[in-house]
Amino acid sequence: MSEKLFSPYQFKGLQLNNRVVMAPMCQYSVTAKDGIPNDWHQVHYVSRAVGGTGLIVIEMTDVEPDGRITDNDLGIWSDEHIPAFAKLVDGMHAHGSKVAIQIAHAGRKAEDAEQPVAPSVVTFPGEDFREPRALTTEEVEAMVQKFADGVRRAVQAGVDAIELHGAHGYLIHQFHSKLMNHREDVYGQDLARFGVEIIRAVKKEMPEDMPLIMRISAVEYADGGYDIEHTLDVARAYQAAGVDIFHISSGGEGPAGQRKPGNYPGYQVPFARRFREELNVPVIAVGLLDDAALAQAVIGNGDADLVAVGRGMLRDPYWANHAALALGVSKDKAAIAEQYSRGY
């Protein structure tokens, strides 16, 4: 690849000014506990658009109230949520960023649900987590529709892409993991089936030229967890069902066992490259990629098509602008807001 971090990127109808992605990061700031974005979210997300981010992924947004990690999380289980999300999306668009939203359900990791639901009765380790109830087959089928309804609302709110959360031990991940899915019905016989049905259902609610992204944990770190060969098999099924881009993370299913995450800059990049090469699919790399030179290398070396920055953007809303200048991009091409230009 000859592309650089601040070269444009296009896939289907998604056209980005650069390859910098703001990773979805929960703010736990819905003080009304109604799932609706508020002033905090408006300032938080729009400031990153002012800061030059190519694609902003709105944090984990849940398809039912008991699907939230906490009651302070975003939700999209009602049409009443649409206007606030539309205002949020419009604010980011006004400053040149494109917007995706991460649609999800926490499953057994729903900390505030009176009784969480999951594929099987397998409790997440830790005192903050309750024993889940296994969904019936009929409830799993209904859950698929809840994802589709959430995506329909997000499309109505004006987003440019959808991301399904299939990573970090949340519900889709729970279904495709043998650690968490001990079912004997069709959703246990085929670990990819739940995700595949969601993908097919949400694609019907999306414009044909809108990309569908799937965030996925490439490996699990708990003892007995899956390796990347299993994830690639699952991802092939997801790709065939309609996933356009994979966002490659790892872990989240429970405390690490003998295998430990690297937790050094770029430790997940080899996973992203493996997906890109084996599936011939665009990928987003993520994981401690806060250094501009490292993020540039990930793109330049062909490891990934896009780079997601998480904690770096929590520290600096203008991470993209500052990275562009650090990499030698001229000020007039670095998307510096005119109001701020004399500060550079």
Side-chain angles (χ1 to χ4, degrees), residues 125-249:
E127 59 184 19
D128 294 332
F129 300 94
R130 299 178 176 92
E131 181 178 274
R133 174 181 64 81
L135 292 160
T136 66
T137 302
E138 293 73 22
E139 287 173 328
V140 177
E141 294 168 351
M143 188 67 73
V144 171
Q145 185 58 47
K146 289 178 182 179
F147 272 83
D149 290 341
V151 167
R152 172 182 57 79
R153 296 178 185 114
V155 171
Q156 286 182 245
V159 301
D160 304 290
I162 298 292
E163 177 171 288
L164 294 174
H165 202 347
H168 301 167
Y170 299 115
L171 191 62
I172 295 175
H173 181 174
Q174 290 165 29
F175 268 88
H176 67 232
S177 169
K178 61 184 179 182
L179 284 178
M180 297 173 274
N181 184 348
H182 303 162
R183 302 176 68 92
E184 296 182 355
D185 66 358
V186 291
Y187 295 101
Q189 295 161 10
D190 177 1
L191 297 182
R193 181 169 180 141
F194 179 60
V196 165
E197 289 188 359
I198 289 174
I199 292 160
R200 290 173 176 166
V202 304
K203 291 287 278 193
K204 293 177 182 178
E205 305 294 340
M206 298 168 58
E208 284 191 18
D209 67 344
M210 179 180 287
L212 178 61
I213 305 166
M214 168 74 84
R215 199 175 211 196
I216 196 164
S217 287
V219 299
E220 293 179 329
Y221 297 107
D223 290 335
Y226 63 63
D227 206 336
I228 194 168
E229 302 301 337
H230 170 78
T231 331
L232 285 166
D233 285 341
V234 169
R236 289 185 183 97
Y238 290 167
Q239 184 181 20
V243 170
D244 297 298
I245 300 170
F246 283 98
H247 188 172
I248 310 301
S249 189

Side-chain angles (χ1 to χ4, degrees), residues 276-305:
R276 190 173 189 271
E277 291 178 343
E278 294 218 9
L279 302 185
N280 191 29
V281 64
V283 299
I284 304 171
V286 68
L288 302 180
L289 300 177
D290 300 344
D291 180 81
L294 175 58
Q296 172 96 304
V298 169
I299 299 300
N301 291 335
D303 296 315
D305 301 87

Side-chain angles (χ1 to χ4, degrees), residues 16-145:
L16 306 179
N17 294 328
N18 58 58
R19 294 160 186 262
V20 177
V21 177
M22 178 181 174
M25 294 171 288
C26 289
Q27 296 297 289
Y28 305 110
S29 295
V30 184
T31 52
K33 301 186 177 182
D34 55 6
I36 297 174
N38 56 32
D39 288 347
W40 174 264
H41 301 92
Q42 197 74 24
V43 172
H44 173 66
Y45 286 107
V46 175
S47 63
R48 274 70 186 175
V50 173
T53 309
L55 175 65
I56 296 174
V57 185
I58 297 173
E59 67 199 79
M60 181 171 170
T61 303
D62 300 291
V63 299
E64 66 175 6
D66 281 348
R68 292 172 290 179
I69 303 171
T70 77
D71 288 348
N72 297 110
D73 291 342
L74 293 176
I76 199 160
W77 61 79
S78 165
D79 287 356
E80 294 177 2
H81 293 93
I82 296 172
F85 277 106
K87 178 183 177 183
L88 187 60
V89 172
D90 288 347
M92 289 181 271
H93 282 166
H95 296 283
S97 291
K98 296 301 174 67
V99 183
I101 186 171
Q102 188 182 73
I103 304 296
H105 190 293
R108 71 176 189 159
K109 293 180 77 174
E111 297 176 27
D112 289 342
E114 184 173 344
Q115 184 173 37
V117 297
S120 304
V121 183
V122 183
T123 307
F124 190 86
E127 59 184 19
D128 294 332
F129 300 94
R130 299 178 176 92
E131 181 178 274
R133 174 181 64 81
L135 292 160
T136 66
T137 302
E138 293 73 22
E139 287 173 328
V140 177
E141 294 168 351
M143 188 67 73
V144 171
Q145 185 58 47

